[in-house]
Amino acid sequence: MLPTTSSFFTGALAALYAVAGLFFLSFWKRTRDALFASFALAFALLAVNQTVLALGGLEREEQSWVYLLRLLAFLVIIAAIVRKNFEGRRRR
C-alpha cells in the first residue's frame, strides 16, 4: 500500500475513533454511567494512538511506545466491563 494511502486510512480511523468517543460521551452526559465514560476515554486513547501513527510515520507500530496507548485503551475497556459486572452482582 502506498504511504499516502496508508496515512489517509490511518487518519480516517482516528476520526472514526474520535466520533465513537464523542458518541459514548453523549451517553455519559445523559446517564452519568461510568461505563460510558470509560468507553469514551478508551476511544479517545485509540484516536490519539492513530493520530500519532499517522503523523509519526512509524514503520513498526508494535515495536514502539505508541503501542502502549492501544494497550491502555483496551485495559480501560476491560476494567470498565469488570467493574460494571461486579456492580450488578452487589445490587442483587
Side-chain angles (χ1 to χ4, degrees):
M1 192 178 309
L2 296 171
T4 54
T5 306
S6 176
S7 294
F8 172 78
F9 284 119
T10 303
L13 190 56
L16 292 172
Y17 280 141
V19 168
L22 291 173
F23 182 72
F24 283 111
L25 189 62
S26 71
F27 276 124
W28 174 77
K29 284 182 180 179
R30 277 192 264 155
T31 65
R32 297 295 183 199
D33 189 348
L35 181 71
F36 293 131
S38 297
F39 270 75
L41 173 64
F43 278 101
L45 287 170
L46 290 170
V48 169
N49 179 49
Q50 289 301 119
T51 302
V52 170
L53 286 176
L55 298 177
L58 302 172
E59 299 212 7
R60 302 270 327 243
E61 160 192 11
E62 66 276 2
Q63 293 180 347
S64 69
W65 62 270
V66 179
Y67 189 74
L68 296 176
L69 288 172
R70 186 180 297 170
L71 177 64
L72 181 60
F74 285 111
L75 289 175
V76 167
I77 290 171
I78 291 168
I81 291 170
V82 168
R83 184 180 59 231
K84 188 71 171 178
N85 284 331
F86 281 125
E87 284 177 5
R89 288 184 183 171
R90 284 187 216 150
R91 291 180 185 165
R92 291 181 189 174

